Amino acid sequence: MLIPHPLLGLRDAQEFSYLGDALLLDRPDGMAENAAEAFFSYVYLRENPAGVHRELWFHEQGDRSWLVVTRNTVTHEILGAEIARDVALRNRTPRDGGDAA
């Protein structure tokens, strides 16, 4: 399986470590009133979808970047990849100091 690294081009998936659902980028607010429940869901409850899914991959044997890879879990087709930092910044809320675009 080849992963289209946004900076380095196509790379073999063996250079990467799979780290789970890309929703892990959306960490709950630890100061919120329901923080305990939110963190329980964040840590322990995971979906296992069949089909298109966004995942975190770490380029362990390369530039050590984190990527959000969009992959079809049934066919293993890679539909795209983005630098995880860019995704996280794009998803920030006004309260976080980000734009609400």
Side-chain angles (χ1 to χ4, degrees), residues 7-61:
L7 303 175
L8 304 175
L10 288 177
R11 309 302 301 174
D12 192 300
Q14 292 180 353
E15 295 180 12
F16 295 83
S17 295
Y18 170 78
L19 297 168
D21 194 323
L23 289 176
L24 293 174
L25 292 173
D26 300 326
R27 185 176 178 184
D29 179 0
M31 302 305 288
E33 189 173 315
N34 67 340
E37 295 85 10
F39 270 98
F40 177 84
S41 294
Y42 176 78
V43 172
Y44 295 109
L45 303 181
R46 298 280 188 263
E47 296 291 325
N48 189 17
V52 176
H53 185 61
R54 291 168 48 88
E55 307 167 331
L56 282 174
W57 289 72
F58 179 62
H59 196 193
E60 186 171 15
Q61 297 176 19

Side-chain angles (χ1 to χ4, degrees), residues 88-101:
L89 289 174
R90 192 170 56 242
N91 292 340
R92 289 179 76 180
T93 65
R95 202 179 113 239
D96 299 330
D99 305 347

Side-chain angles (χ1 to χ4, degrees), residues 49-53 71-74:
V52 176
H53 185 61
R71 180 175 72 92
N72 185 319
T73 60
V74 175

